[in-house]
Amino acid sequence: GQNIDQPTEMTATEGAIVQINCTYQTSGFNGLFWYQQHAGEAPTFLSYNVLDGLEEKGRFSSFLSRSKGYSYLLLKELQMKDSASYLCAPMDSNYQLIWGAGTKLIIKP
Amino acid sequence: NAGVTQTPKFRVLKTGQSMTLLCAQDMNHEYMYWYRQDPGMGLRLIHYSVGEGTTAKGEVPDGYNVSRLKKQNFLLGLESAAPSQTSVYFCASSSREGLVSQPQHFGDGTRLSIL
């Protein structure tokens, strides 16, 4: 079957760094997306990895290891506005996104 | 920049009533999707469309129907609403550009309660 495993909730301090891990099993693989979703709002696209390695976008970076079925999202210089859920979504062989339940990130001052 | 627009934003229905949720996108995207999101669960795909006039079933299609008569619109219908269909419904769209997967862009969601 297809499944995604992410921590349910994480807490971090403003200004710090946090890493959100995601392990996945899919039928085929066509890349992995990370989305941010603030409470009561729609998901918004953060990053996409299709090859192994690190993709950096400002304060956010995403890493992929296809052989391990593993990805992480790294958030630096945390701000209060980063309090949100982060959704890991690999794309299977049919180009369908498989969505995890997400990791709720709580930022404390 | 409207992007993806969903109407209505909120709706309360009684069991057995029917309704249609409308999704419109102005980005000329080929692909459109309907998801539902329930507390503690990931987004679940209801139906999707890879182009005008075509639709396909997703993970949880039972109790829903869809139509894509125009490229920019994707309608989701509930023929006989049930309390289990109480959820937040998101529409999304994405483009097709060669072999590179493109991100999905989401509407603001429709919060639907079935009493």
Side-chain angles (χ1 to χ4, degrees), chain B residues 61-109:
Chain B
D62 294 343
Y64 306 95
N65 56 76
V66 288
S67 64
R68 190 149 179 221
L69 299 179
K70 294 182 178 181
K71 185 177 184 180
Q72 64 268 34
N73 296 338
F74 196 28
L75 279 62
L76 177 71
L78 284 72
E79 294 177 340
S80 179
S84 61
Q85 294 177 304
T86 293
S87 188
V88 179
Y89 291 85
F90 287 104
C91 175
S93 70
S94 64
S95 63
R96 181 179 62 202
E97 294 183 18
L99 299 177
V100 179
S101 299
Q102 299 298 319
Q104 294 181 13
H105 299 265
F106 285 79
D108 289 338

Side-chain angles (χ1 to χ4, degrees), chain A residues 71-89:
Chain A
S71 176
Y72 68 72
L73 182 69
L74 190 71
L75 292 74
K76 302 176 184 177
E77 301 170 13
L78 286 170
Q79 302 175 9
M80 296 304 294
K81 67 178 182 180
D82 296 331
S83 292
S85 289
Y86 291 86
L87 314 179
C88 168

